[in-house]
Structures are given as structure tokens and as C-alpha cells.
Amino acid sequence: MPSVRETLLAATCIPLAATALAGCKTTQQSNDRLELRAKRELASRVPVDVRKQNPEIKVERTAVVDGAKGKGGAIVAVLKNVTGHVTNDLPIEVGVGGQPLNSGKTFTYGQTRAPALDPGEETTWVFQSDKPLPAGAPFARVGTPPSPPLATTGSLPGIEADPAPGVSAAANSTLSVKITNKSDIPQYDLEVYAAARKGQRYVVAGTTGVEHLGSNGSTTVDVPLTGDAKGTRVQLFIAPIYFK
């Protein structure tokens, strides 16, 4: 991955004619995305430590999904943007029994940051562990964005996640998911979250990353599931991480 300095140097573009303007703009946008990606990579290396809940995000619900005996578990957090503007790049800390689980240096950006949300939008975020979770009540705290912000936007480009045609989730298995970019803005380091309930109880959850999704493109990924998906309707959640 290029360093921030390398990105800034690569962004230099001096068009010699009007026909070069479009190419220069495209180059600048590309380098802006690379610079943002580098900043997020650096941010992900700093352990999250959220001491106070951000009033812009309401944590509607948290739940634990246990895996098979001796296997890992997952935490589900239902989040809602209660403001009149887009929220993004917000740190999120989750845990069980007062013990944080995603505050180390080995987690991806999507496992330590809440998804971007349009005004009034609700989404489901998942943390998945390869180890059994400790006993206790789950919690989730969403912090405040960095200042100055890493990225800003007035609206979010469209990204869709749907079960791949002809597949269904099996118990303690994976779900094949088709990710579609509805915009001309390429996406990097996306995180797709999956969860399902029986009644009011969450019984399955999972997450996986998508390294790259091109403009107006699609790809298929396998989401590993914790819990038993038999007889459930797995819901999928994904949000853009690049806005221009």
C-alpha cells in the first residue's frame, strides 16, 4: 500500500490541454482514495478505546451468538443514526461482561469502525471471534469521528448485498453473498455483516471483508457463519466506505 507521502506526490497532475482535464480529475480522485485508504490503515493499528457513547448513534440492541461447543462466538449490535447527516468512520468497541473484545491491533477497519449511515438509518454490525466468548452481558459503544474527519459526504453511494442465486445457509457453515456496486465509485476494504433471528433471539451471525469492488461491478464472497442458520432468513448489511 502506498504511503501518504507517496500518494500525495502521485496526485500531481498538470493538464496541458482542456482534453486532459477529465483525466486529471480521475487521477486526483484515485489518489484521494489511496490516501484515505492509507489513513484508515494507520487508524486501524491503534486499539479502539471508547469511553463515552456518541449521542449521534443509538445502540438499539446487542446480542451474543454462541458457536458450537469449543468454537468461536459473535456479537451483534443494532445501530441507528439519530442525526440529520451522514455518519462515518466512527470507532466501535464491543465486548462481553465488561471485557472489550475488539480493542487490539490485529483487527480490520471494518471490525473496529461502525458502518456509514444515512440520516435516520438503522443497520446491524457484527463482531466475530474464533474463540468462545466469555460469560456476561454484551455491550457496544460507538465513539466520535476523528477531527478533522477522514471523509465527508452528503449522501452515500449504493452498495447491495444479497444471497448468491441458488444458495442457502447451512448450519455452522457459510453463506455465499453477491455484492453489487450501484455507483461509479470503486470501493475498498468493505465489510459485509450477516445476522438472523428466531423470534427475538439472534441465532446466527457472521462477517467477512471485500478487498475491492470496482465501479458498477459485482463480486461474490463467502461469509462464515457462527450459530445455526437452519430455518432462518439471514439478513445482510453492507455500507460504502468511499464516497467520491
Side-chain angles (χ1 to χ4, degrees), residues 118-169:
D118 275 320
E121 184 181 8
E122 182 179 285
T123 194
T124 296
W125 182 94
V126 173
F127 172 78
Q128 197 170 24
S129 173
D130 58 359
K131 300 178 181 179
L133 301 183
F139 69 87
R141 292 188 291 265
V142 180
T144 57
S147 181
L150 297 184
T152 59
T153 184
S155 61
L156 298 177
I159 308 292
E160 293 183 356
D162 301 285
V167 302
S168 60

Side-chain angles (χ1 to χ4, degrees), residues 23-77:
C24 181
K25 181 178 180 181
T26 300
T27 301
Q28 182 65 55
Q29 289 174 330
S30 177
N31 286 312
D32 286 347
R33 294 179 194 124
L34 289 173
E35 182 179 356
L36 177 56
R37 192 180 189 191
K39 288 179 178 179
R40 284 174 170 151
E41 171 65 23
L42 291 174
S44 69
R45 298 175 188 174
V46 180
V48 293
D49 183 15
V50 180
R51 302 296 179 90
K52 185 178 180 181
Q53 174 65 33
N54 183 347
E56 295 189 341
I57 302 295
K58 182 179 180 182
V59 180
E60 301 273 19
R61 183 178 181 183
T62 56
V64 168
V65 176
D66 292 317
K69 186 175 181 179
K71 301 294 184 179
I75 296 177
V76 177

Side-chain angles (χ1 to χ4, degrees):
M1 180 182 296
S3 68
V4 173
R5 175 174 172 77
E6 289 171 337
T7 300
L8 291 171
L9 290 175
T12 304
C13 180
I14 305 175
L16 300 180
T19 54
L21 287 174
C24 181
K25 181 178 180 181
T26 300
T27 301
Q28 182 65 55
Q29 289 174 330
S30 177
N31 286 312
D32 286 347
R33 294 179 194 124
L34 289 173
E35 182 179 356
L36 177 56
R37 192 180 189 191
K39 288 179 178 179
R40 284 174 170 151
E41 171 65 23
L42 291 174
S44 69
R45 298 175 188 174
V46 180
V48 293
D49 183 15
V50 180
R51 302 296 179 90
K52 185 178 180 181
Q53 174 65 33
N54 183 347
E56 295 189 341
I57 302 295
K58 182 179 180 182
V59 180
E60 301 273 19
R61 183 178 181 183
T62 56
V64 168
V65 176
D66 292 317
K69 186 175 181 179
K71 301 294 184 179
I75 296 177
V76 177
V78 181
L79 311 173
K80 184 175 182 179
N81 177 2
V82 296
T83 74
H85 59 82
V86 173
T87 58
N88 57 280
D89 291 294
L90 305 183
I92 180 170
E93 184 178 54
V94 297
V96 178
Q99 178 181 336
L101 295 177
N102 68 331
S103 59
K105 297 181 179 181
T106 60
F107 299 103
T108 66
Y109 198 77
Q111 287 285 274
T112 57
R113 299 301 187 278
L117 288 170
D118 275 320
E121 184 181 8
E122 182 179 285
T123 194
T124 296
W125 182 94
V126 173
F127 172 78
Q128 197 170 24
S129 173
D130 58 359
K131 300 178 181 179
L133 301 183
F139 69 87
R141 292 188 291 265
V142 180
T144 57
S147 181
L150 297 184
T152 59
T153 184
S155 61
L156 298 177
I159 308 292
E160 293 183 356
D162 301 285
V167 302
S168 60
N172 302 310
S173 186
T174 61
L175 179 64
S176 185
V177 176
K178 182 179 180 181
I179 312 298
T180 305
N181 187 353
K182 295 290 188 176
S183 77
D184 59 0
I185 302 170
Q187 300 290 320
Y188 302 88
D189 307 314
L190 291 167
E191 198 84 14
V192 55
Y193 308 98
R197 295 182 297 181
K198 284 186 177 179
Q200 294 301 309
R201 185 170 67 93
Y202 281 95
V203 295
V204 67
T207 181
T208 196
V210 182
E211 184 175 356
H212 176 252
L213 180 62
S215 304
N216 300 296
S218 63
T219 189
T220 300
V221 296
D222 289 331
V223 180
L225 299 177
T226 295
D228 188 349
K230 284 184 177 178
T232 68
R233 179 177 176 271
V234 179
Q235 292 183 294
L236 298 165
F237 307 87
I238 192 168
I241 192 168
Y242 292 88
F243 315 132
K244 61 181 181 179

